[in-house]
């Protein structure tokens, strides 16, 4: 068994010397960390895509679209713009790195025309990558698509 006897005065001097030696290293490490964090943030892409068609309009805001490209977070806002008895729908569309298009599930606004935006916050993951993202806005009668538009994020 070992017993260590600590001299408080010696400890204070050691801490002081240690602080003088380590503080510059800590500042340099913090600067490097901030540089890495900033460059990581800079690699995330953002963008907006929007379109309007007869009876429906909307947009998508894509954020946290990192270089690896397998996940995006997005915010969609869309609305029914025509009092015609039909309803508006919106969905995310993506393309992977070889150009294959993926259509994601529809979100509906069945509350009637000009009642304000319907909002959706979600994310998409595609293991084959997400090279492009956009929004498809459409006007439907039941499950029949009447007309639509596509707006790619730029």
């Amino acid at each position: 068994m070992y017993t260590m006897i600590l001299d408080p005065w010696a400890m204070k001097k050691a801490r002081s010397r240690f602080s003088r030696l380590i503080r510059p290293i800590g500042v340099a490490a913090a600067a490097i960390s901030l540089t890495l964090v900033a460059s990581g943030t800079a690699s995330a892409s953002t963008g907006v895509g929007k379109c309007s068609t007869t009876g429906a309009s909307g947009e998508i805001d894509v954020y946290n679209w990192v270089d690896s490209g397998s996940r995006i977070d997005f915010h969609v806002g869309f609305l029914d713009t025509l009092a015609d008895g039909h309803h508006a729908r919106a969905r995310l569309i993506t393309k992977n790195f070889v150009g294959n298009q993926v259509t994601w599930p529809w979100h509906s606004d069945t509350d009637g025309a000009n009642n304000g935006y319907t909002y959706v916050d979600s994310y998409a993951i595609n293991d084959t990558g997400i090279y492009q993202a956009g929004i498809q806005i459409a006007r439907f009668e039941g499950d029949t698509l009447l007309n639509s538009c596509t707006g790619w994020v730029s």
Side-chain angles (χ1 to χ4, degrees), residues 3-145:
T3 304
M4 183 185 271
I5 300 174
L6 299 176
D7 176 7
W9 177 250
M11 289 293 289
K12 185 175 181 183
K13 285 177 76 176
R15 268 197 312 264
S16 177
R17 256 184 276 130
F18 181 74
S19 294
R20 281 194 306 269
L21 291 174
I22 297 302
R23 186 172 290 134
I25 294 170
V27 170
I32 291 169
S33 296
L34 287 174
T35 302
L36 292 174
V37 168
S39 64
T41 303
S43 69
S45 298
T46 60
V48 174
K50 51 181 135 182
C51 72
S52 293
T53 187
T54 302
S57 181
E59 68 180 54
I60 185 169
D61 179 15
V62 175
Y63 55 97
N64 289 338
W65 192 352
V66 184
D67 290 340
S68 66
S70 61
R71 176 190 166 124
I72 60 172
D73 296 328
F74 63 91
H75 172 80
V76 168
F78 67 102
L79 73 156
D80 184 337
T81 61
L82 191 60
D84 59 359
H86 304 302
H87 67 278
R89 293 187 190 182
R91 70 177 170 186
L92 171 71
I93 53 175
T94 59
K95 287 185 180 178
N96 67 10
F97 293 102
V98 293
N100 296 332
Q101 185 167 307
V102 177
T103 53
W104 300 79
W106 287 104
H107 299 279
S108 297
D109 175 5
T110 56
D111 293 337
N114 302 311
N115 64 351
Y117 280 85
T118 297
Y119 294 104
V120 177
D121 290 297
S122 191
Y123 65 93
I125 297 174
N126 186 343
D127 292 335
T128 63
I130 298 174
Y131 181 70
Q132 278 186 298
I135 188 169
Q136 186 174 17
I137 301 292
R139 183 173 59 144
F140 275 80
E141 173 58 40
D143 286 330
T144 302
L145 188 147

